[in-house]
Amino acid sequence: MESSAQAQQAAAAPAEAPDEYSEDPGSAPVNDPLMGWNRFWFTFNDYFYTGIRPVVQGYRYVVPDFARTGMKNVYDNFTFPIRFLNALLQLNMTKAAREFGRFMINSTFGIGGFFDLAKSDPNLQPGDEDFGQTLGYYGMGEGFYIVWPFLGPSSARDSVGLVGDVAANPLTWIFGLWDYQGQDQTWYLSYVISAGNRFNRLPEYLDDYDSMKKSALEPYVSMRDFYIQYRRGRIAH
């Protein structure tokens, strides 16, 4: 679900997927040993989207597009360290410089990132680097496909990468993840802000999701294959 967004997201022993593909990584079959689990949560998420749709449509009606886009821009600008750090870890100085340049321009002239002024420069287009991609860059295979409740599609590698993304998120630095000393009463704000960001992106996400369902003979398979192909493509770049 993120993303554009972002972001559309019973234990079993994971079967190893091939880490290398001879020609086209996108043509490799999807490793889906948890299909029972995945289909259950895919259906759960589908019902959840159906149930929350009236609320989302009401939100879309009350909050105009420019305001939703502005809030998305602010969040993306605030969490730029995730993309910047992953660009550095992938030894891609061009992407790192781009993320830093976008942050400086949007934080100042873009009023804290509300206006994404940097995207008007062809050399400063938005990026989406994350720790899942970084792990793939260093040769870690995607492992098995998995669907998480509310979070949607993922893979074993991307699920591990989420831990790194959370660690690099400034919200974690400011509020923490939980109250471990019995004194901090603001730890929950990191979850509230992250959940608010995901909800803010739902109108556009649900539009894409509905289009996918209408055009797919088997929505579960279409969503799975689209996610895996997209992630393989991002890592290949």
Side-chain angles (χ1 to χ4, degrees):
M1 186 187 301
E2 211 46 272
S3 98
S4 102
Q6 13 92 150
Q8 301 141 48
Q9 329 184 14
E16 289 294 331
D19 290 348
E20 299 179 359
Y21 308 109
S22 56
E23 295 182 0
D24 180 13
S27 65
V30 177
N31 186 21
D32 191 6
L34 305 181
M35 185 176 289
W37 161 281
N38 291 336
R39 283 189 177 276
F40 173 82
W41 287 115
F42 177 83
T43 302
F44 172 88
N45 289 339
D46 186 58
Y47 278 116
F48 173 75
Y49 298 146
T50 300
I52 201 174
R53 194 178 305 274
V55 179
V56 174
Q57 295 300 343
Y59 177 74
R60 168 182 262 163
Y61 178 79
V62 173
V63 182
D65 180 67
F66 85 90
R68 299 197 310 272
T69 300
M71 288 187 284
K72 178 183 76 68
N73 290 342
V74 169
Y75 185 88
D76 288 345
N77 189 65
F78 184 72
T79 56
F80 107 97
I82 299 174
R83 301 182 300 278
F84 178 72
L85 178 58
N86 278 288
L88 291 178
L89 290 174
Q90 295 172 33
L91 307 181
N92 193 321
M93 298 302 108
T94 299
K95 287 185 177 180
R98 180 184 66 192
E99 291 297 340
F100 186 76
R102 284 180 51 78
F103 176 73
M104 294 302 295
I105 292 173
N106 289 338
S107 296
T108 52
F109 301 107
I111 313 179
F114 189 87
F115 299 102
D116 187 0
L117 301 181
K119 71 177 181 180
S120 61
D121 186 335
N123 297 316
L124 294 176
Q125 295 304 298
D128 64 351
E129 305 303 310
D130 57 45
F131 275 93
Q133 293 180 36
T134 298
L135 293 174
Y137 173 84
Y138 284 101
M140 183 177 179
E142 67 201 15
F144 53 90
Y145 177 71
I146 187 167
V147 178
W148 293 111
F150 305 113
L151 299 180
S154 187
S155 67
R157 179 185 59 213
D158 290 345
S159 296
V160 173
L162 282 175
V163 177
D165 293 335
V166 170
N169 192 325
L171 292 174
T172 303
W173 311 344
I174 296 173
F175 301 113
L177 292 178
W178 53 77
D179 179 6
Y180 56 88
Q181 293 179 330
Q183 297 176 348
D184 185 5
Q185 300 301 315
T186 62
W187 60 270
Y188 60 89
L189 291 179
S190 62
Y191 297 101
V192 171
I193 295 173
S194 295
N197 171 65
R198 294 182 69 86
F199 181 82
N200 182 60
R201 298 171 190 249
L202 272 180
E204 287 69 35
Y205 173 80
L206 289 182
D207 287 344
D208 294 339
Y209 180 75
D210 289 343
S211 297
M212 182 278 297
K213 282 190 65 178
K214 290 178 181 178
S215 62
L217 294 176
E218 172 50 280
Y220 168 78
V221 174
S222 295
M223 176 68 80
R224 181 195 67 188
D225 292 351
F226 173 81
Y227 176 82
I228 293 297
Q229 303 304 329
Y230 174 77
R231 293 297 291 174
R232 289 175 180 174
R234 294 306 305 163
I235 291 170
H237 284 77

PDB file of all heavy atoms in Angstrom, residues 26 32 100 121 131 176 188 208:
ATOM      1  N   GLY A  26      12.436 -11.045 -13.817  1.00  0.00           N
ATOM      2  CA  GLY A  26      10.993 -10.946 -13.730  1.00  0.00           C
ATOM      3  C   GLY A  26      10.273 -12.196 -14.217  1.00  0.00           C
ATOM      4  O   GLY A  26       9.092 -12.390 -13.925  1.00  0.00           O
ATOM      5  N   ASP A  32       5.555 -19.207  -3.508  1.00  0.00           N
ATOM      6  CA  ASP A  32       4.380 -18.929  -2.684  1.00  0.00           C
ATOM      7  C   ASP A  32       3.966 -20.162  -1.877  1.00  0.00           C
ATOM      8  O   ASP A  32       2.862 -20.694  -2.052  1.00  0.00           O
ATOM      9  CB  ASP A  32       3.227 -18.471  -3.588  1.00  0.00           C
ATOM     10  CG  ASP A  32       2.041 -17.911  -2.813  1.00  0.00           C
ATOM     11  OD1 ASP A  32       2.156 -17.770  -1.578  1.00  0.00           O
ATOM     12  OD2 ASP A  32       1.005 -17.624  -3.448  1.00  0.00           O
ATOM     13  N   PHE A 100      19.036  14.195  -0.948  1.00  0.00           N
ATOM     14  CA  PHE A 100      19.452  15.314  -0.100  1.00  0.00           C
ATOM     15  C   PHE A 100      19.022  16.638  -0.715  1.00  0.00           C
ATOM     16  O   PHE A 100      18.534  17.536  -0.015  1.00  0.00           O
ATOM     17  CB  PHE A 100      20.965  15.295   0.101  1.00  0.00           C
ATOM     18  CG  PHE A 100      21.444  16.336   1.073  1.00  0.00           C
ATOM     19  CD1 PHE A 100      21.269  16.158   2.441  1.00  0.00           C
ATOM     20  CD2 PHE A 100      22.052  17.500   0.620  1.00  0.00           C
ATOM     21  CE1 PHE A 100      21.702  17.129   3.342  1.00  0.00           C
ATOM     22  CE2 PHE A 100      22.487  18.468   1.520  1.00  0.00           C
ATOM     23  CZ  PHE A 100      22.310  18.278   2.879  1.00  0.00           C
ATOM     24  N   ASP A 121      12.327  19.657 -11.315  1.00  0.00           N
ATOM     25  CA  ASP A 121      13.658  19.431 -11.889  1.00  0.00           C
ATOM     26  C   ASP A 121      13.771  17.969 -12.294  1.00  0.00           C
ATOM     27  O   ASP A 121      13.622  17.079 -11.456  1.00  0.00           O
ATOM     28  CB  ASP A 121      14.728  19.774 -10.850  1.00  0.00           C
ATOM     29  CG  ASP A 121      16.138  19.712 -11.417  1.00  0.00           C
ATOM     30  OD1 ASP A 121      16.366  18.984 -12.407  1.00  0.00           O
ATOM     31  OD2 ASP A 121      17.024  20.378 -10.844  1.00  0.00           O
ATOM     32  N   PHE A 131      15.006  -0.579   2.627  1.00  0.00           N
ATOM     33  CA  PHE A 131      15.958  -1.612   3.046  1.00  0.00           C
ATOM     34  C   PHE A 131      15.713  -2.942   2.342  1.00  0.00           C
ATOM     35  O   PHE A 131      16.639  -3.741   2.196  1.00  0.00           O
ATOM     36  CB  PHE A 131      15.907  -1.785   4.565  1.00  0.00           C
ATOM     37  CG  PHE A 131      16.784  -0.816   5.293  1.00  0.00           C
ATOM     38  CD1 PHE A 131      16.285   0.394   5.746  1.00  0.00           C
ATOM     39  CD2 PHE A 131      18.124  -1.100   5.514  1.00  0.00           C
ATOM     40  CE1 PHE A 131      17.099   1.301   6.410  1.00  0.00           C
ATOM     41  CE2 PHE A 131      18.950  -0.198   6.170  1.00  0.00           C
ATOM     42  CZ  PHE A 131      18.437   1.011   6.617  1.00  0.00           C
ATOM     43  N   GLY A 176       9.942   6.833  19.649  1.00  0.00           N
ATOM     44  CA  GLY A 176      10.186   5.455  20.055  1.00  0.00           C
ATOM     45  C   GLY A 176       9.063   4.549  19.574  1.00  0.00           C
ATOM     46  O   GLY A 176       8.071   4.999  18.993  1.00  0.00           O
ATOM     47  N   TYR A 188       3.196   6.170  21.371  1.00  0.00           N
ATOM     48  CA  TYR A 188       2.132   5.751  20.450  1.00  0.00           C
ATOM     49  C   TYR A 188       1.979   6.709  19.268  1.00  0.00           C
ATOM     50  O   TYR A 188       1.368   6.359  18.247  1.00  0.00           O
ATOM     51  CB  TYR A 188       0.801   5.664  21.194  1.00  0.00           C
ATOM     52  CG  TYR A 188       0.357   6.965  21.801  1.00  0.00           C
ATOM     53  CD1 TYR A 188      -0.419   7.864  21.080  1.00  0.00           C
ATOM     54  CD2 TYR A 188       0.733   7.312  23.103  1.00  0.00           C
ATOM     55  CE1 TYR A 188      -0.823   9.069  21.623  1.00  0.00           C
ATOM     56  CE2 TYR A 188       0.341   8.515  23.655  1.00  0.00           C
ATOM     57  CZ  TYR A 188      -0.436   9.396  22.920  1.00  0.00           C
ATOM     58  OH  TYR A 188      -0.815  10.596  23.458  1.00  0.00           O
ATOM     59  N   ASP A 208      -6.586   2.336  -7.535  1.00  0.00           N
ATOM     60  CA  ASP A 208      -5.707   1.393  -8.243  1.00  0.00           C
ATOM     61  C   ASP A 208      -6.108  -0.049  -7.943  1.00  0.00           C
ATOM     62  O   ASP A 208      -6.093  -0.906  -8.825  1.00  0.00           O
ATOM     63  CB  ASP A 208      -4.251   1.626  -7.830  1.00  0.00           C
ATOM     64  CG  ASP A 208      -3.731   2.981  -8.279  1.00  0.00           C
ATOM     65  OD1 ASP A 208      -4.315   3.555  -9.220  1.00  0.00           O
ATOM     66  OD2 ASP A 208      -2.760   3.472  -7.674  1.00  0.00           O
TER      67      ASP A 208
END
